[in-house]
Amino acid sequence: MEILAVPTEVCTLHPENTLGKIYLDWMPQPGDYIDLEGKNYRILERRHRYQFRRGKYNLFRVVVYVQPAPENLDRSLIDGRWIIGDENCRYNAISELIRCAVNPNGPCAGCRFWEVR
């Protein structure tokens, strides 16, 4: 299935505010990161808006709710998805949302619990 550029509205939850409208050629997922006007945001939630035309529903727009991501976020790309922290650490959660159990706020550099996986 080919994904065309989907109009995407980027909003914050608290306070509810529209940050902008962009076109994405990929389908955003919760936990993904998005760059908008030089600032990084983490996607918390995605909602679809459909329009009924010619007897069927068509994807009209995607609305993503985001929160600002920290500037010093260390990420690694594993199997096509971004995870937080150092993937070589034994305690890394291999997750887009949480770094690890022993030091969830990070950073990984200089952590006293760091061990080779």
Side-chain angles (χ1 to χ4, degrees):
M1 181 175 125
E2 181 179 321
I3 296 178
L4 302 174
V6 177
T8 305
E9 186 174 345
V10 181
C11 302
T12 58
L13 282 172
H14 301 288
E16 192 163 332
N17 186 5
T18 300
L19 299 175
K21 296 177 182 174
I22 57 175
Y23 286 85
L24 296 176
D25 59 352
W26 54 280
M27 189 57 68
Q29 300 291 330
D32 287 343
Y33 292 87
I34 192 168
D35 183 54
L36 184 67
E37 298 175 2
K39 295 182 181 177
N40 285 324
Y41 296 95
R42 181 186 322 199
I43 297 174
L44 301 175
E45 186 177 333
R46 176 187 75 196
R47 294 184 183 169
H48 298 166
R49 303 287 189 250
Y50 293 93
Q51 189 175 48
F52 190 74
R53 286 190 299 188
R54 298 184 196 136
K56 65 178 185 175
Y57 286 98
N58 296 303
L59 182 62
F60 175 67
R61 176 179 35 176
V62 174
V63 179
V64 292
Y65 291 95
V66 299
Q67 74 179 14
E71 294 297 323
N72 59 354
L73 187 66
D74 50 336
R75 297 184 294 169
S76 304
L77 185 64
I78 293 187
D79 297 329
R81 66 186 182 117
W82 289 99
I83 65 161
I84 300 175
D86 184 1
E87 76 272 9
N88 297 318
C89 179
R90 174 181 175 191
Y91 299 108
N92 190 295
I94 313 294
S95 168
E96 300 94 347
L97 301 174
I98 188 168
R99 181 185 314 269
C100 71
V102 295
N103 189 13
N105 295 326
C108 293
C111 177
R112 65 187 180 119
F113 299 106
W114 193 93
E115 291 182 23
V116 174
R117 184 176 292 269

